[in-house]
Structures are given as C-alpha cells and as structure tokens.
C-alpha cells in the first residue's frame, strides 16, 4: 500500500511519546472539527518537516484507494517515529490535533478543511497567506487560519485547479474551478494578484434554501412568495437581479421547485450550482480554453445548442455577455417560463445591462428593437439586495408592462420598505404590496395557485 518506511525500519508506533508538553494552542473543536488556527504556531517548522517527510514516504498514487482510518494510522506511525528519532515529545491531544492537520494536508485542502467542514460558513476568502476571511450569516469575519508561506498556499491552489484538469501559472494567472463537493472557486495569483495568491470559495450548500426557508429567513413576504409561485407555474419569464452574493442563484433554485415536473429543462452555467429537483433536467456547463488557448465553450454556444434540444424551459445561471441575445430569443419564441439572473443593483439597471449585453452580439441592432424584444419577452424582474445587517432580501418584484416610446415600462408589485436600523444594527422594514394589480393577474389565475383578490392591496405584510 505504501512505500517502505524509514531505512532503519524500526516499528512505527501510532502512539506519541508522552511527557513534556509542547506549547501548542489547542483549537476549539465545535462539532468535532477545529474552526481556526493560531497565527503564531510554534510547531510550524515541525509540521513542514513532517509534511515533507510524508510526501516522500507515502505512495501518493494510492491515496484515494486507502481508507482514511488506515491512512491516519500510517501517518501517526510515521510521525511518532519521527518525533522519537528527534527526541521530541508531544502530549496526546496535541498529537491528535497534529494528525488532523496532516491528514487535511495530505488528503484535502490543508488549513481550508475545517472551514469547508463548518456548515455555518458560506464563503471563504483568502487574501494571501495570513488573511483568511469567512462569511457567516451574511457578514464577513476574519479568521486566524493561515498558510505557512506562499508556496503552501500555491500548492493548495494547484491541488484544487489540477483536480479539475485546469492550470494556473504566470501565463494564466487566474482560474475558475469547482471543488469535488460542488463549491465554486476562483483563484488568482501573481503577477495579477499583487499581494500574493487569492482564493474565493462560494461553498456549495447541500441543502439549498427552498421558498419556505427563504420565508423563514424573512427574505420576502408570504403573498409575494405566492405570487412568484403562480408566476413560475404560469410560465412567466423571470429575470433575477442582484449584487454579488445577494442570493440570485439561491432564488433561481427556489423558484425552479415550482416548475411542472413534466417540463423538459436545460440549465446552462459557468459552474454548475443549480440543484433542480425535477427529473427531466439536462445540465450544461461551459469550458474554458485549454493550454493552447483553444477549445473554449461559452454560455452562448451552449444556449444555441440547447435550443435544438427541445427544451420547454431554459435556465441560464447568470447572463454576462452576448448569450443574453439568445436568451431573449428563447423567451420570445415559445420557451415560456425561462429564467436567468443578472448582476445589477436595481431592476431598472438590470434592464439597461440586459440591453447592453444583447447588443454585444454585434450587428446593427436598433435599440428600439432590443427594447421591444425585452418588453415582449420578459414579464418579471426580481431585485435582491444584501442589507447592511447581512440579511438578504427581495427588495422589489416588478412587472414589465410594455414599451412606451423607447422606454421599457415597469411597475412594482411588491417592494421592501426600509424603516430604519435598530440598536443592534438590524435593518427594520417590511415588504409591502404597492396596491397595483399585475397585468398578468388573469393569466396567473389559471396557474392553479390561489391568489387572493386582495393579495395586491396595500396591506401590512410582515417580512
Ligand atoms: N435569503 C437568504 N437568507 C440567508 N442566506 C441566503 C439567502 N439567500 C442566499 N443565501 C446564502 O447566501 C450565499 C450566496 O447566495 P447565492 O450564491 O445565491 O448568491 P449570488 O447572488 O448568486 O452570488 P454570486 O453573485 O456570487 O453568483 C449562499 O451561501 C446562500 O446559501
Ligand atoms: Mg450566483
């Protein structure tokens, strides 16, 4: 299984030599896993040496065939022997914690492993070797996790990137990748990242937030959620707009749960994040260029292909460029009930950005034609925002009602009214109906969702 151990082939002992404690700060271990590590770790040198030794001694090619407990046993044996040879001692708890770290190094992503295992963390942001931030409940906090040096961090980045057949080096200093568990990763290194390698991880949520959970979190009001359910069932084309990390993909996923399971769906994403529950789904993912700079497959390529796959509905994870043109064509040509997200700060901005993206396809499109396509193809725009207290909210649900002159006309159906901030910094406010009955109301009545006639009256709605 492993290469032979040390030359002297003394029996490796899995128990550490006891006695004099080596001063090593114990990590807190909620749910059995450590969350953060001390910056000034007196065992840094020892760990580096042990790690180098393990890389030399273990047969790395068979690691994936070996059980974790066997590997732990082997590593414990090697480490105990190493300590004994050097006459060093370590208390049992510290030794076990060291084994955890070494296992993480050998099998996983080193210091990032505890953060990846912590379910309360949604994003991990590494700015160089010793500035590691995480996002919990919408707010960023700095951890004391750190990497030994830049080589250590680069090795972890390389491990992530090479596991999905991609590369990162000076000539191609940034890359998008995905971890085995589906988490989305972006890495960027020198020379572009001036202060050292940077890594951004959006953790994949194994249990995505469904509409009932979003309601529980107060992301929107019950009448608004019912309206959205009716809109999806009634096959409205929907654009979900929001800033970075505002919950666009989460909302798209939640809305997709209302899609008729008999509908054939094709999803197109740069990194597959959507988790549709239906059976009839074809998932497509783009591909970056290879080392020779060829072979790139864009969202637009996939969208054009998707149109030949007899989809009932198409979902594009996020429109960023000229695929917006084809998305709009699809929405206008019988793929009703298609949805996508867009990066914009207001619903009005979302429409302007969409216009710009459509014209990126080239050719001489009169803006009037683009706008009339948007007015005819899109029915709803949802605006999401992350508030100053970290909570994510639907801040408006607007209906596109047509074109007046060369302006795409929109009316708000629901809006989030902010009413101040309490002493703890929590934003106070509630989602309200604007009192406008949507034009699509009659069409939605046939969707099977019971919308109360007063659902759109200006009543107090607790968000
Ligand atoms: N209403 C919500 N309440 C609490 N957490 C939420 C809510 N919506 C989304 N989240 C969490 O916020 C994080 C970011 O969400 P999501 O990936 O949907 O954002 P995004 O706008 O698509 O981000 P990006 O711009 O990076 O694509 C995820 O961890 C998600 O679980
Ligand atoms: Mg997203």
């Amino acid at each position: 299984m492993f290469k032979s151990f040390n030359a002297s082939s003394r029996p490796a002992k899995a128990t550490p030599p006891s006695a004099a404690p080596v001063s090593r700060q114990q990590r807190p271990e909620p749910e059995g896993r450590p969350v953060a590590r001390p910056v000034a770790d007196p065992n840094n040198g020892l760990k580096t040496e042990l790690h180098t030794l393990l890389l030399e001694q273990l047969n790395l090619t068979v690691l994936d065939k070996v059980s974790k407990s066997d590997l732990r046993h082997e590593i414990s044996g090697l480490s105990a022997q190493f300590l004994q040879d050097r006459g060093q001692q370590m208390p049992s708890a510290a030794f076990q914690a060291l084994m955890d770290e070494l296992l993480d190094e050998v099998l996983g992503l080193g210091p990032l492993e505890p953060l990846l295992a912590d379910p309360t963390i949604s994003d991990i942001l590494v700015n160089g070797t010793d500035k590691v931030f995480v996002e919990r409940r919408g707010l960023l906090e700095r951890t004391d996790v750190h990497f030994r040096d830049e080589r250590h961090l680069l090795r972890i980045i390389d491990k992530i990137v090479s596991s999905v057949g991609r590369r990162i080096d000076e000539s191609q200093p940034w890359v998008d990748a995905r971890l085995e568990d589906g988490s989305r990763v972006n890495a960027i290194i020198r020379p572009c990242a001036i202060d050292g390698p940077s890594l951004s991880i959006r953790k994949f949520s194994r249990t995505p937030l469904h509409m009932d959970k979003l309601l529980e979190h107060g992301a929107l009001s019950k009448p608004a959620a019912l309206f959205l359910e009716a809109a999806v069932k009634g096959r409205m084309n929907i654009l979900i707009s929001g800033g970075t990390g505002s919950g666009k993909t989460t909302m798209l996923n939640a809305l997709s749960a209302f899609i008729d399971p008999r509908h054939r769906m094709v999803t197109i994403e740069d990194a597959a994040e959507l988790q549709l529950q239906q059976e009839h789904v074809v998932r497509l993912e783009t591909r970056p260029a290879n080392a020779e700079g060829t072979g790139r497959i864009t969202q637009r390529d996939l969208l054009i292909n998707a149109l030949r796959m007899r989809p009932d509905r198409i979902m594009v994870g996020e429109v960023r460029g000229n695929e917006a043109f084809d998305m709009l064509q699809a929405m206008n040509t019988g793929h009703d009930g298609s949805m996508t997200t867009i990066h914009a700060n207001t619903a009005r901005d979302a429409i302007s950005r969409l216009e710009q993206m459509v014209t990126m396809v080239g050719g001489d499109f009169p803006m009037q034609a683009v706008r009339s396509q948007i007015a005819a193809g899109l029915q709803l725009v949802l605006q999401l925002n992350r508030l100053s207290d970290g909570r994510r909210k639907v801040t408006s649900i607007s209906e596109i009602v047509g074109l007046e002159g060369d302006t795409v006309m929109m009316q708000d159906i629901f809006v989030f009214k902010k009413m101040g901030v309490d002493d703890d910094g929590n934003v106070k406010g509630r989602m309200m109906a604007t009192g406008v009955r949507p034009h699509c109301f009659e069409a939605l009545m046939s969707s099977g969702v019971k919308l109360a006639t007063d659902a759109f009256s200006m009543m107090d709605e607790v968000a």
Side-chain angles (χ1 to χ4, degrees), residues 184 202 248-250 273 317-318 341:
R184 196 180 76 187
R202 159 68 41 77
K248 303 180 293 297
T249 306
T250 304
E273 286 182 282
E318 182 176 327
T341 77

Side-chain angles (χ1 to χ4, degrees), residues 33 37 100-110 113-114:
R33 293 303 313 255
R37 288 163 196 190
D100 278 346
E101 281 187 38
L102 289 172
L103 256 182
D104 284 348
E105 284 289 337
V106 174
L107 283 183
L109 301 179
E113 283 297 326

Side-chain angles (χ1 to χ4, degrees), residues 29-207:
E29 303 216 349
E31 297 165 49
R33 293 303 313 255
V35 163
R37 288 163 196 190
V39 173
D41 186 339
N43 283 333
N44 249 343
L46 178 72
K47 276 187 240 165
T48 313
E49 276 185 62
L50 260 173
H51 189 233
T52 315
L53 174 89
L54 292 174
L55 291 180
E56 277 168 15
Q57 300 260 327
L58 298 175
N59 182 355
L60 298 177
T61 57
V62 298
L63 278 190
D64 52 348
K65 299 183 190 85
V66 181
S67 77
K68 200 168 172 181
S69 60
D70 281 351
L71 186 63
R72 190 186 178 92
H73 186 76
E74 298 294 349
I75 289 180
S76 299
L78 274 173
S79 306
Q81 189 64 61
F82 174 83
L83 289 173
Q84 199 171 341
D85 287 350
R86 295 181 28 151
Q88 262 185 299
Q89 294 174 329
M90 193 177 275
S92 178
F95 184 80
Q96 294 310 328
L98 181 60
M99 291 310 102
D100 278 346
E101 281 187 38
L102 289 172
L103 256 182
D104 284 348
E105 284 289 337
V106 174
L107 283 183
L109 301 179
L112 296 179
E113 283 297 326
L115 306 181
L116 289 166
D118 184 339
T120 63
I121 293 176
S122 58
D123 285 79
I124 304 169
L125 307 159
V126 179
N127 307 348
T129 54
D130 56 8
K131 283 201 201 113
V132 179
F133 295 84
V134 293
E135 189 190 306
R136 276 197 181 93
R137 286 173 278 280
L139 296 176
L140 282 182
E141 51 189 75
R142 187 169 172 179
T143 69
D144 47 11
V145 169
H146 69 288
F147 294 82
R148 279 193 299 276
D149 50 30
E150 218 166 291
R151 271 184 47 214
H152 184 201
L153 175 53
L154 276 173
R155 200 177 53 73
I156 301 282
I157 291 178
D158 201 52
K159 205 165 176 181
I160 296 174
V161 170
S162 56
S163 70
V164 288
R166 297 188 182 169
R167 75 196 169 92
I168 187 163
D169 53 35
E170 242 180 60
S171 62
Q172 175 54 60
W174 64 83
V175 71
D176 283 315
R178 197 143 44 85
L179 301 185
E180 224 171 87
D181 71 357
S183 298
R184 196 180 76 187
V185 182
N186 175 273
I188 182 159
I189 61 170
R190 292 180 197 274
C192 291
I194 316 169
D195 298 320
S198 166
L199 196 59
S200 318
I201 302 179
R202 159 68 41 77
K203 276 175 61 184
F204 183 77
S205 165
R206 239 173 274 278
T207 44

Side-chain angles (χ1 to χ4, degrees), residues 229-235 442-451:
E229 179 178 347
V232 174
K233 291 187 170 161
R235 301 194 71 168
E442 303 303 331
L444 295 189
M445 290 302 276
S446 59
S447 68
V449 179
K450 280 203 170 48
L451 287 175

